[in-house]
Amino acid sequence: MDSWEDVSKEALLATNSRAPSSYRAPSPSQPLHTSRPPSSVANRISREIKGVSETNLFGPHRNDQSFGPSEKPASEGHGELLLKGPMSKTRAATPTGSFAALGPIVRPSMCFLIGAIVAIGHHRFNTWAEGRTVGTNPSIPQEWVFRIGTAFAIAFQTILASSLAFVICQLLWFYARRQYMSMIDINTLYLVERRELASTVFSDAIFRSPLLVTATLLSFLLPITAVFTPASLGVTTSSFDVVGPCQVSAANFSGDNAAILFRNNGTEGNYLGGPRSSVQRLADATFSSQSIPPLPQYCGKNCTYQTSIDSMTFQCERNVPLPAGHLGDTELSYLGPGLRVFWNASMAGPEADPPSPFYVGWQTGATHIWFDGSAGTNGSALCTPMKAHYDFTVRTINGEQFVTYNMTTTGPLKSTTQAATGEAVQEGYIAMQVGAVTLAARSRLLGVVSWLYYPVARVNIYNDSSPVLLGSFLNVLEEDAFIWGDVITGIEQTAANVTAALLNVDLGLKNSECTYSHTALVYQYKPENLWIPYALALGVVGASFILGVIVFRRFNPENLTTSFVDTVGVTRNPELDSLALRYRLGLSDALDDDDTARFRLGQLGDGCVGYGTKESIRSPE
């Protein structure tokens, strides 16, 4: 059996000239438009398909006379109704000043408003989560918090895409009314409106309809907001402190259970004989390490506690005259024999008495004469031990300890050369405890660092027995050069470091309040990461929507859409039917192979809005 196409081609050669299949005679009530000649395109296509009948095109030959009055197919009556229905002509234009004309704008404007509300809701959700502990406050799993943020972002771009779709649709009809195009060009516009990527990017539509292509590309970029905005809410570590009870060192020298720091003078009763070996070792270790030793962690590895202690300090008077020969008797430029002293700390009173001051003299130099001593310091001082009150703050973070203190001088030290009796016994006991600390700290500073040179005999005698060589304020170079730093601060720091080290000694405990440090993962909100993408999207879509409203009021008063009904309505034109039939029958290789077959949307001769040629469009728009 022959195919439909074969039957149609045979009918094309055998039948007489008849109107195209889509043509219907006007009803008596419809006026004929005889003033405009038929389109040249329509005439040429009609001649090419001359002799093709409706029976040949849409089914086997049928003898309508074989049906009686009561046997007439119902489809014929329905076909007549279809031509008179909405598919034969588009809806009438709504007056621009009426409220109904604004109806199509309501839905996209509501979408834009809802998108802005979603953005505000996302901001409020992130603000609510800011600073809350992950997983516990509230007890929402972390992944669900991020999923909610992602849902906000996706809802935002989806809703704004609906508003932007209104703009794209209006721009489609704008360009369809503004220029004559081939069938393929019109088809490309429809593909761009349907967001077909290849037609949008790789076709020549960007030159024919730049605003439409731009709006479509913006719709492709809207999902970027769903990429950036969820990252506005992240997590970070946050430290917070909780104050609670604890026990710390009482630092009480007179307590019943406090350790004894001094040795008695066996020959003269209850006089101070010196520091105990444990205290001396503590002072030696502190001075040699040039820092405060690790202190007890009374409240754990992440905690801060405070305690106070009454101890001693060294109060130094700078640039005092030194005793004769204190720093040697040889000038730096003198080449003869003599004693060169780089450090000398000697007592200005009884060494066994803690309040006794001591002289300190120092000069930067080396064992060779021509050393440049300008890099270090030179000076002298008279240092006196004094009573002092210390307030220590010990902060431990993950096991690493940081100690700070405030020191206040409270007066001179009490002499321990006389026995304490009566009510002064306890005061004398405390004086010997503090005195033992003073002797232990001062012993690290006393002594001489010198060089005795005999040029004739070429004999060098060194004296570097002073423990001061371990001080943090001295830099010793390989060529036996002694470069001094801030000596006075170093002496005062020595007293503070030794006093802090006493917190490792058992001096009793007391109730106190400690600050416990905790670290937790909390949500962190960065508003700029949320509002920059949202603001850009809202601004671009808002400007596009205003353009869409202008185009809608000016170029689409009929409120055409790309629905099936409107598509059929604007294509119910004999010229289009003839061109489609010609292509269907193989008389043309492409729908746009003829340059004269150009169409645009406009008002046809019968008053309907549809695609037509220059001859069939009633008047230019």
Side-chain angles (χ1 to χ4, degrees):
M1 186 173 183
D2 294 336
S3 64
W4 186 89
E5 288 81 358
D6 295 336
V7 173
S8 301
K9 290 180 180 179
E10 292 175 0
L12 180 65
L13 299 175
T15 58
N16 296 325
S17 174
R18 304 179 68 176
S21 61
S22 60
Y23 177 76
R24 293 290 186 272
S27 61
S29 60
Q30 182 177 1
L32 295 176
H33 299 278
T34 58
S35 60
R36 182 183 297 274
S39 164
S40 61
V41 176
N43 289 338
R44 182 171 62 79
I45 296 175
S46 298
R47 287 194 300 271
E48 290 181 356
I49 61 174
K50 184 176 181 180
V52 181
S53 65
E54 183 175 357
T55 303
N56 298 122
L57 294 178
F58 298 105
H61 181 73
R62 184 181 64 197
N63 187 6
D64 292 342
Q65 295 179 355
S66 62
F67 294 94
S70 61
E71 297 176 342
K72 186 176 182 179
S75 61
E76 295 186 11
H78 290 298
E80 192 70 23
L81 290 175
L82 287 174
L83 290 176
K84 296 180 180 181
M87 291 186 294
S88 63
K89 63 179 181 179
T90 58
R91 62 181 67 89
T94 306
T96 57
S98 64
F99 177 78
L102 301 178
I105 306 175
V106 173
R107 183 166 62 181
S109 61
M110 290 299 296
C111 289
F112 180 81
L113 180 61
I114 293 174
I117 294 175
V118 170
I120 296 174
H122 196 177
H123 166 74
R124 295 294 297 171
F125 174 76
N126 287 356
T127 303
W128 170 81
E130 166 79 6
R132 294 178 180 267
T133 306
V134 175
T136 58
N137 184 21
S139 57
I140 301 177
Q142 178 182 355
E143 58 269 21
W144 276 106
V145 173
F146 291 150
R147 286 170 184 169
I148 293 173
T150 304
F152 272 112
I154 294 176
F156 174 83
Q157 64 96 9
T158 302
I159 294 172
L160 281 195
S162 300
S163 181
L164 195 57
F166 166 80
V167 179
I168 296 174
C169 181
Q170 303 310 313
L171 292 175
L172 168 67
W173 300 120
F174 170 75
Y175 286 108
R177 288 180 183 267
R178 297 286 292 178
Q179 53 188 326
Y180 288 94
M181 295 173 287
S182 66
M183 296 281 284
I184 294 299
D185 293 334
I186 296 175
N187 185 65
T188 301
L189 287 187
Y190 274 78
L191 290 176
V192 173
E193 189 271 341
R194 285 167 173 78
R195 302 175 72 248
E196 203 276 324
L197 182 61
S199 299
T200 304
V201 178
F202 300 108
S203 70
D204 60 349
I206 184 63
F207 305 106
R208 184 172 291 104
S209 52
L211 291 179
L212 175 61
V213 172
T214 301
T216 304
L217 290 177
L218 289 176
S219 69
F220 290 142
L221 297 178
L222 273 180
I224 293 181
T225 58
V227 176
F228 288 99
T229 53
S232 62
L233 184 65
V235 295
T236 185
T237 56
S238 176
S239 299
F240 60 95
D241 297 333
V242 177
V243 178
C246 63
Q247 284 189 326
V248 299
S249 174
N252 185 2
F253 288 136
S254 61
D256 295 337
N257 298 323
I260 300 176
L261 308 180
F262 62 91
R263 290 184 288 107
N264 291 325
N265 189 333
T267 60
E268 299 187 23
N270 196 26
Y271 298 161
L272 177 63
R276 287 200 170 187
S277 58
S278 58
V279 177
Q280 189 62 61
R281 288 196 304 269
L282 190 64
D284 294 347
T286 302
F287 189 76
S288 61
S289 66
Q290 304 176 10
S291 63
I292 298 175
L295 301 180
Q297 298 178 358
Y298 289 108
C299 50
K301 295 183 177 181
N302 290 280
C303 180
T304 301
Y305 67 89
Q306 295 178 338
T307 188
S308 300
I309 184 171
D310 290 318
S311 182
M312 49 74 59
T313 187
F314 294 118
Q315 191 174 67
C316 297
E317 182 182 356
R318 300 172 182 264
N319 301 322
V320 298
L322 296 176
H326 193 84
L327 285 179
D329 55 3
T330 303
E331 297 291 338
L332 293 179
S333 60
Y334 181 64
L335 299 179
L339 179 65
R340 301 188 64 214
V341 178
F342 306 105
W343 172 274
N344 187 5
S346 60
M347 295 299 303
E351 184 175 353
D353 194 12
S356 297
F358 59 97
Y359 286 102
V360 177
W362 69 94
Q363 58 182 352
T364 297
T367 55
H368 54 87
I369 297 176
W370 303 110
F371 175 78
D372 182 9
S374 62
T377 63
N378 304 298
S380 62
L382 177 63
C383 298
T384 304
M386 302 288 290
K387 291 174 60 178
H389 177 81
Y390 289 87
D391 293 315
F392 287 101
T393 299
V394 182
R395 182 176 180 84
T396 307
I397 301 176
N398 295 328
E400 186 176 1
Q401 199 170 81
F402 305 90
V403 181
T404 58
Y405 66 91
N406 291 321
M407 187 271 293
T408 304
T409 303
T410 57
L413 286 177
K414 181 177 177 59
S415 176
T416 60
T417 58
Q418 296 179 354
T421 59
E423 297 180 356
V425 171
Q426 185 176 7
E427 183 178 354
Y429 182 83
I430 296 175
M432 286 193 291
Q433 293 274 64
V434 176
V437 177
T438 303
L439 296 181
R442 188 173 60 189
S443 66
R444 300 299 88 199
L445 303 172
L446 298 177
V448 178
V449 178
S450 63
W451 174 53
L452 183 61
Y453 175 63
Y454 292 93
V456 177
R458 298 182 181 275
V459 176
N460 299 325
I461 300 175
Y462 297 95
N463 182 3
D464 55 0
S465 60
S466 174
V468 77
L469 295 176
L470 300 177
S472 60
F473 44 85
L474 172 62
N475 183 20
V476 180
L477 300 182
E478 293 181 357
E479 59 271 19
D480 287 335
F482 304 93
I483 303 175
W484 301 96
D486 190 349
V487 173
I488 302 302
T489 301
I491 294 175
E492 295 173 351
Q493 188 67 47
T494 298
N497 291 347
V498 173
T499 299
L502 294 176
L503 297 177
N504 288 306
V505 179
D506 184 10
L507 297 176
L509 297 176
K510 66 177 181 179
N511 294 327
S512 181
E513 286 187 343
C514 296
T515 303
Y516 298 89
S517 300
H518 299 276
T519 302
L521 282 177
V522 298
Y523 293 106
Q524 183 182 34
Y525 174 39
K526 296 182 178 179
E528 63 276 8
N529 292 347
L530 178 81
W531 281 115
I532 290 177
Y534 276 168
L536 288 176
L538 289 171
V540 170
V541 174
S544 302
F545 178 70
I546 294 175
L547 175 63
V549 172
I550 295 174
V551 172
F552 169 74
R553 298 296 301 274
R554 175 65 178 85
F555 296 96
N556 190 16
E558 300 88 4
N559 187 25
L560 293 177
T561 64
T562 55
S563 64
F564 176 75
V565 172
D566 288 344
T567 301
V568 172
V570 298
T571 56
R572 296 297 293 176
N573 185 355
E575 294 174 338
L576 294 177
D577 293 343
S578 300
L579 185 63
L581 177 62
R582 181 169 174 264
Y583 177 73
R584 178 66 173 169
L585 295 179
L587 301 177
S588 174
D589 294 333
L591 292 178
D592 63 342
D593 61 347
D594 192 338
D595 292 338
T596 61
R598 302 291 174 176
F599 303 88
R600 78 169 177 87
L601 189 67
Q603 191 172 24
L604 302 177
D606 58 358
C608 301
V609 175
Y611 284 101
T613 60
K614 292 182 180 180
E615 293 83 2
S616 60
I617 298 297
R618 172 177 291 183
S619 60
E621 298 182 5

